Amino acid sequence: EPVTFLFTTRSEDLVPPRIVWTWPTGTLSKLQIDRMLVQIYFSEAVMASPGKVLLLRDDRGMRHPLPVDRPCPPGALRGCMQMDMDGRRVSLMPQGRSQRGEMIPWAEAGRTYHVEIPADAFSDAITVGL
């Protein structure tokens, strides 16, 4: 006897990914910050848009440009980003990583930092195939 089955494709995904959580928050010491990754969590898996740059800057004019499509292997001695396997968490490493793979300390005491993310720096194209 023949076997039949039915399936349906979902409608076009019109909801872009959004940032649901960032880390760190509040006021922390330089020592604490130097041991932490700056992290961005998205509502769904994202893909970096080639050529786009996040900017981490402080209140005194120091700027750390972070190309979203620059890999961050051990020994990357410049600003880079690392995306988790599931594509929902992005970690910023403003000074890169040591040869041992550790984040290089980057923060200065007594400063306020701002992360600027272009609206089109990430897309959910990886999950919808666009």
Side-chain angles (χ1 to χ4, degrees):
E1 189 169 316
V3 174
T4 63
F5 63 95
L6 177 69
F7 65 92
T8 305
T9 59
R10 68 180 175 169
S11 60
E12 184 178 352
D13 183 358
L14 299 175
V15 179
R18 60 185 171 76
I19 294 173
V20 295
W21 191 66
T22 59
W23 181 255
T25 60
T27 302
L28 302 167
S29 73
K30 175 185 173 5
L31 182 60
Q32 289 173 306
I33 292 292
D34 281 345
R35 294 179 179 166
M36 292 180 188
L37 296 170
V38 176
Q39 297 181 338
I40 305 165
Y41 289 80
F42 289 91
S43 58
E44 60 186 282
V46 296
M47 185 170 78
S49 300
K52 299 299 177 181
V53 177
L54 274 67
L55 185 63
L56 175 70
R57 62 180 177 83
D58 71 17
D59 54 354
R60 295 183 189 167
M62 178 61 77
R63 299 163 56 95
H64 298 279
L66 301 161
V68 299
D69 54 352
R70 180 184 292 162
C72 206
L77 302 177
R78 59 185 178 178
C80 55
M81 297 177 29
Q82 181 173 309
M83 191 171 297
D84 277 9
M85 295 295 285
D86 69 358
R88 295 185 63 199
R89 182 176 69 185
V90 175
S91 300
L92 311 181
M93 296 178 217
Q95 294 293 343
R97 295 172 69 186
S98 71
Q99 290 293 336
R100 294 186 311 192
E102 298 166 345
M103 181 180 68
I104 296 171
W106 58 273
E108 297 293 330
R111 303 233 176 135
T112 299
Y113 290 92
H114 307 270
V115 178
E116 298 172 8
I117 306 170
D120 58 350
F122 297 96
S123 73
D124 61 356
I126 197 166
T127 60
V128 296
L130 297 177

